[in-house]
Amino acid sequence: MVIDILTLFPEMFSPLEYSIIKRARDKDIIKINLYNIRDFTLDKHNRVDDYPYGGGSGMVMMADPIYRAMEHICRDKIKKPRTILMTPGGEKFNQGTAKELAKEEELIFICGHYEGIDERIMTLIDCQVSIGDYVITGGELAAMVVIDSVSRMVPGVLSSKESYEEESFFDGLLEYPQYTRPEIYRDMKVPEVLLSGHHENVNKWRRYQSLKKTYRLRPDLIDYGKLSDKDKKMLLDIENEEQDI
């Protein structure tokens, strides 16, 4: 996958040079290209923003540098890559969106800043994405969140399929509790079932705990229509258990 990023602050993306994303880049599974929007302005002072028409506080990013940057990126491409604008008004990002975007061969991210971007760039945008109902300084941090999540879904990025299929949100539920050595720590013991070596019982325990954790912390994530009959029975037991507490 090729990821092109249009930003005013390329240096902010240094976290993508570490950990899993770095390994994926080293293996050429993920290629990330950073484009400084200031490099595409015709203004001698490299200005990329101006006062908003109609008045108001703050500055607005100009359309022209972004158009020029997009033309540069797409000049030799047969088809324009799917282009994403990171904006508070976009569709809220979730695991389903990550799966969808991971199917693309190339993505372009445009990171907004200041009070917004000239509305005329919307002709370039295929989808608008938000990471939550709050305001941050610019689209850079939000883009990194989306890029990290999407990259994990690209085949070959993680060491095994199970690495992401059993993580929180992959199947709509939170992940079950995890334990490692030592077996007993400060009088807290690892559940016996995890030491039993009985894989069927371990899987059943994990599914139960996943449902229980989701029921307690994020009941809004539970889609009863997608639950199996076994899941529904477990959930009924969990509901009864919670009522008895």
Side-chain angles (χ1 to χ4, degrees):
M1 173 181 280
V2 177
I3 298 174
D4 302 311
I5 305 170
L6 277 67
T7 171
L8 295 177
F9 302 98
E11 61 275 11
M12 288 185 68
F13 288 88
S14 59
L16 299 181
E17 298 173 2
Y18 299 91
S19 190
I20 290 172
I21 305 301
K22 180 186 185 301
R23 293 199 299 270
R25 296 175 73 176
D26 289 344
K27 295 177 182 178
D28 290 328
I29 300 172
I30 302 289
K31 183 177 182 181
I32 298 177
N33 302 313
L34 292 167
Y35 297 91
N36 191 330
I37 297 171
R38 297 183 191 278
D39 293 339
F40 298 93
T41 179
L42 299 180
D43 184 88
K44 65 180 181 180
H45 301 296
N46 291 329
R47 283 188 59 186
V48 293
D49 60 336
D50 209 333
Y51 295 103
Y53 278 119
S57 61
M59 306 291 279
V60 175
M61 290 177 66
M62 300 176 185
D64 187 59
I66 297 173
Y67 264 88
R68 289 180 179 277
M70 285 290 293
E71 288 168 351
H72 173 78
I73 293 171
C74 300
R75 66 187 186 281
D76 297 323
K77 301 184 187 300
I78 297 174
K79 179 184 177 182
K80 181 179 82 68
R82 189 167 183 180
T83 303
I84 302 160
L85 175 66
M86 302 307 304
T87 172
E91 176 185 348
K92 193 175 291 187
F93 184 72
N94 58 31
Q95 194 66 30
T97 310
K99 293 179 188 178
E100 179 187 347
L101 294 178
K103 298 174 183 176
E104 301 286 339
E105 293 184 2
E106 184 168 1
L107 296 169
I108 298 176
F109 288 84
I110 298 179
C111 303
H113 225 78
Y114 307 126
E115 292 302 311
I117 304 179
D118 191 305
E119 186 70 15
R120 287 168 289 192
I121 71 144
M122 291 303 169
T123 59
L124 303 171
I125 305 303
D126 297 306
C127 59
Q128 301 180 54
V129 173
S130 166
I131 60 168
D133 297 333
Y134 48 86
V135 179
I136 54 179
T137 304
E140 285 77 13
L141 292 174
M144 277 188 279
V145 168
V146 174
I147 290 167
D148 183 273
S149 179
V150 171
S151 296
R152 296 172 65 84
M153 308 295 296
V154 175
V157 170
L158 298 184
S159 58
S160 67
K161 195 175 183 181
E162 289 76 20
S163 293
Y164 63 79
E165 286 197 347
E166 294 186 2
E167 288 179 336
S168 294
F169 302 112
F170 184 83
D171 64 352
L173 301 176
L174 299 181
E175 189 179 15
Y176 49 79
Q178 298 274 19
Y179 297 86
T180 189
R181 291 180 177 83
E183 182 180 330
I184 301 175
Y185 178 70
R186 299 194 180 192
D187 295 328
M188 293 180 284
K189 197 173 186 302
V190 174
E192 288 291 342
V193 65
L194 299 180
L195 307 173
S196 68
H198 195 299
H199 296 300
E200 184 177 346
N201 288 345
V202 169
N203 289 336
K204 183 178 179 180
W205 180 87
R206 284 175 169 173
R207 187 64 178 178
Y208 185 90
Q209 295 299 324
S210 180
L211 285 163
K212 185 176 180 178
K213 187 175 181 180
T214 307
Y215 179 81
R216 281 183 170 180
L217 302 179
R218 290 293 305 276
D220 57 297
L221 294 175
I222 299 176
D223 185 345
Y224 287 82
K226 293 183 179 180
L227 297 180
S228 67
D229 290 340
K230 289 183 179 180
D231 287 337
K232 291 176 182 177
K233 185 180 183 308
M234 285 185 183
L235 198 56
L236 183 60
D237 291 340
I238 291 167
E239 290 173 349
N240 292 332
E241 179 185 325
E242 292 295 306
Q243 290 172 4
D244 292 337
I245 294 177

